[in-house]
Amino acid sequence: MIGKLVEILKNKKVLILGFGKEGISTYRLISKYIPASQIAIADQNENLVETANLEIDPDVKSYLGKAYLEKLNEYDLVIKAPGISKKILKNKADENKIISQTDLFLKLFSNQVIGITGTKGKSTTASLIKHILSTHSKNIVLVGNIGVPPFDIVDDIDDNTWIVFELSSHQLQDVSNSPFIAVVLNLFEEHLDHYDDLNAYHQAKINIALYQKVNDFIVINEDDPIIKKLVDRLNVDCNRLSYSLQKNLSKGAFVEKDGIIKILYLGQESLFDVSKRISLVGDHNVMNIMAAICVSKIVKVPDATILAAINSFSGLKHRLEYLGKFEGIHFYNDSIATIPEATISAIKTLKKVDTLILGGKDRGIDYKSLINFLPDSKVNNLIFSGDAGKRMMNDLKSAGYLKSQKLFFIQNYNELPEIIKQYTLLDYICLLSPAASSYDMFRNFEERGDVFKKIAENL
């Protein structure tokens, strides 16, 4: 497989565009196979190479700071990091030169990849699939948007390895290969700062199946009309398996009754009683479980193994993570919730939320669904931060139908403890579920969640 990569890179001058975690991973791998003099690094952060904690060959050129995009056309291949929007590359480089680590990896290993995408639930579903498969076989790896660049684990892959790959829209935007199994969970409004419009975001997501072959599989949410429409438009001749919370299916997974999931596949019927699971509460997680069951059946995991793994799965950090009871208040960390639909799901699932922390970077998302939902919820205290929080708070006030809810705006998280302690009812929940990106105050949603955890523990 590596021979294919060497062939792609052979006699080419390569520019690594974006030198974060994935860019460093790309450098480590390709520097094994081509001379340093053919490699260059470009990044907006002019101090990045010095702070990357990585020894860079002195023959590697660096283009850092404001002019980092000026030399793109001098290179035969530009390996772009997913966080760099293609919008800023217009007229800067020939599009045919731009590729990504994700696409290079799929060129090498697509027949072994189970790819998971969607606006919400990717990390949970990918982790659950990995957990199920790992109870059946030890030759499983989990990579991608969940935090492990795929090039980091190339040495751990053999011909029998299953690769569970969490794929963001940014990673899928540039692909020309598709995984053997493509899972599309849902599509909501997100990342509008990165794309020309919502349709472009949706198209990036559905690229996961654009290049599938006749023996490949796509697993889709039957209840999401946008996904069905996009998949039908692709006109890809692959195997389709669906799952639904709302209706019984002649092929695929659905809820037969509360706690019981039925799947009809290859003319056989299987029932899974998931009522004893220790995590993955709420209807949105039932959907994630059904997607994981579909994948597990495709790769021929026994039913008993699937069920035991679902019931033993402990969930993810930062996704409805119970932090504990402090000063008589239950704390839940849902920092990974960066869209309104995820926050609404969290409130519905937990039910006894009295204090809710919202806001962060404003990416232009439509918050109408959340604004309509909050006044009739039982959440009494709403704490907002950042530009997104400011907009949400103003929209709520403008709507004019707030009842007894108290609204607070904070400049930073240091102001949280006093508000939480003074206003949150004992034995009720304080929930961090921001419905917004973390990049205004924090490096990522993980740091935001960790800060909130320390605040709870220090009460």
Side-chain angles (χ1 to χ4, degrees):
M1 291 294 185
I2 292 299
K4 287 185 181 179
L5 178 64
V6 174
E7 194 63 32
I8 292 168
L9 300 174
K10 189 177 177 181
N11 300 322
K12 287 188 174 67
K13 291 174 64 182
V14 177
L15 178 75
I16 301 169
L17 180 58
F19 205 60
K21 183 183 288 187
E22 188 169 298
I24 291 171
S25 171
T26 300
Y27 171 75
R28 283 182 176 138
L29 185 66
I30 69 170
S31 62
K32 292 182 183 179
Y33 302 107
I34 65 174
S37 59
Q38 291 176 215
I39 304 172
I41 294 164
D43 195 282
Q44 194 171 14
N45 183 348
E46 59 186 18
N47 300 313
L48 199 69
V49 173
E50 288 78 3
T51 59
N53 195 26
L54 176 71
E55 189 172 327
I56 306 295
D57 192 294
D59 289 334
V60 173
K61 290 184 178 179
S62 297
Y63 307 104
L64 305 175
K66 293 180 180 179
Y68 76 110
L69 298 176
E70 290 185 359
K71 302 292 183 179
L72 301 187
N73 275 325
E74 294 184 10
Y75 289 82
D76 304 310
L77 201 62
V78 177
I79 305 177
K80 182 184 79 67
I84 296 176
S85 172
K86 290 183 80 170
K87 289 197 298 186
I88 69 170
L89 300 183
K90 287 180 179 177
N91 304 318
K92 296 285 187 181
D94 180 351
E95 280 195 17
N96 294 322
K97 293 182 176 182
I98 300 171
I99 197 168
S100 65
Q101 182 179 135
T102 296
D103 200 31
L104 283 170
F105 187 84
L106 288 173
K107 281 180 187 292
L108 303 178
F109 301 107
S110 62
N111 290 337
Q112 299 169 243
V113 173
I114 301 164
I116 298 95
T117 197
T119 307
K120 64 175 185 172
K122 294 187 300 295
S123 296
T124 297
T125 306
S127 299
L128 177 58
I129 291 171
K130 198 260 185 179
H131 179 67
I132 295 171
L133 269 56
S134 295
T135 61
H136 181 58
S137 166
K138 298 303 177 188
N139 202 356
I140 315 293
V141 294
L142 175 61
V143 299
N145 195 58
I146 202 160
V148 181
F151 277 1
D152 278 5
I153 51 86
V154 166
D155 293 337
D156 300 328
I157 296 173
D158 61 35
D159 290 344
N160 298 311
T161 305
W162 279 114
I163 304 156
V164 183
F165 199 153
E166 182 190 332
L167 289 157
S168 70
S169 60
H170 301 347
Q171 289 167 307
L172 290 167
Q173 190 177 18
D174 306 303
V175 297
S176 56
N177 298 271
S178 292
F180 168 59
I181 302 175
V183 182
V184 189
L185 300 171
N186 45 59
L187 288 174
F188 299 108
E189 191 176 72
E190 194 178 33
H191 298 308
L192 297 190
D193 54 334
H194 198 93
Y195 298 96
D196 291 332
D197 52 35
L198 186 59
N199 288 332
Y201 167 65
H202 288 167
Q203 188 56 55
K205 284 289 194 185
I206 212 64
N207 279 351
I208 192 172
L210 185 58
Y211 303 98
Q212 284 200 302
K213 301 178 285 293
V214 66
N215 292 321
D216 292 343
F217 288 82
I218 182 168
V219 176
I220 68 167
N221 176 355
E222 184 75 17
D223 300 338
D224 192 315
I226 299 173
I227 292 174
K228 289 183 65 181
K229 187 175 180 180
L230 288 168
V231 171
D232 289 341
R233 279 182 187 169
L234 286 179
N235 196 27
V236 174
D237 189 18
C238 66
N239 301 288
R240 186 186 298 193
L241 198 57
S242 302
Y243 60 95
S244 173
L245 198 65
Q246 300 173 3
K247 55 191 172 184
N248 295 354
L249 303 175
S250 59
K251 179 183 178 183
F254 56 91
V255 177
E256 185 173 62
K257 58 182 179 180
D258 190 32
I260 307 294
I261 293 171
K262 178 186 281 189
I263 181 167
L264 302 170
Y265 178 61
L266 295 181
Q268 295 183 331
E269 173 186 301
S270 299
L271 292 173
F272 297 90
D273 181 354
V274 298
S275 60
K276 297 179 177 63
R277 63 193 189 274
I278 62 173
S279 65
L280 301 174
V281 294
D283 286 347
H284 63 291
N285 274 320
V286 173
M287 297 292 278
N288 296 335
I289 290 169
M290 288 192 289
I293 289 174
C294 288
V295 170
S296 302
K297 294 293 286 185
I298 292 168
V299 300
K300 301 178 181 177
V301 180
D303 289 357
T305 302
I306 296 171
L307 180 59
I310 291 169
N311 287 337
S312 66
F313 184 66
S314 59
L316 298 180
K317 285 184 68 177
H318 310 291
R319 167 63 77 200
L320 286 179
E321 177 190 9
Y322 182 57
L323 302 178
K325 188 176 183 180
F326 306 98
E327 291 291 315
I329 301 165
H330 296 279
F331 284 81
Y332 280 84
N333 167 26
D334 195 36
S335 182
I336 201 172
T338 57
I339 59 170
E341 290 80 6
T343 299
I344 292 169
S345 291
I347 296 168
K348 287 180 176 179
T349 298
L350 296 176
K351 295 181 174 62
K352 290 185 65 175
V353 178
D354 190 51
T355 297
L356 174 65
I357 301 161
L358 292 160
K361 182 180 178 181
D362 192 345
R363 296 168 297 160
I365 289 174
D366 184 355
Y367 285 111
K368 186 177 180 180
S369 60
L370 184 61
I371 301 307
N372 290 338
F373 171 81
L374 286 173
D376 293 326
S377 73
K378 295 181 180 179
V379 181
N380 290 314
N381 311 300
L382 300 167
I383 305 174
F384 302 92
S385 70
D387 289 341
K390 193 174 295 181
R391 180 156 65 89
M392 290 181 220
M393 188 170 70
N394 289 336
D395 287 351
L396 270 171
K397 289 179 177 178
S398 298
Y401 43 50
L402 287 174
K403 298 174 183 176
S404 59
Q405 288 164 313
K406 300 178 181 68
L407 275 58
F408 305 89
F409 185 83
I410 60 172
Q411 296 295 333
N412 61 66
Y413 274 31
N414 293 334
E415 300 170 56
L416 284 174
E418 184 177 346
I419 299 171
I420 293 168
K421 285 172 68 175
Q422 184 173 348
Y423 293 98
T424 308
L425 293 172
L426 296 182
D427 285 322
Y428 277 73
I429 293 169
C430 174
L431 169 65
L432 170 67
S433 190
S437 166
S438 59
Y439 294 119
D440 55 345
M441 293 186 190
F442 305 99
R443 290 193 303 270
N444 47 46
F445 72 83
E446 292 96 339
E447 184 186 33
R448 177 169 63 187
D450 289 340
V451 167
F452 179 64
K453 181 177 181 179
K454 288 179 181 178
I455 287 170
E457 292 171 344
N458 289 335
L459 282 183

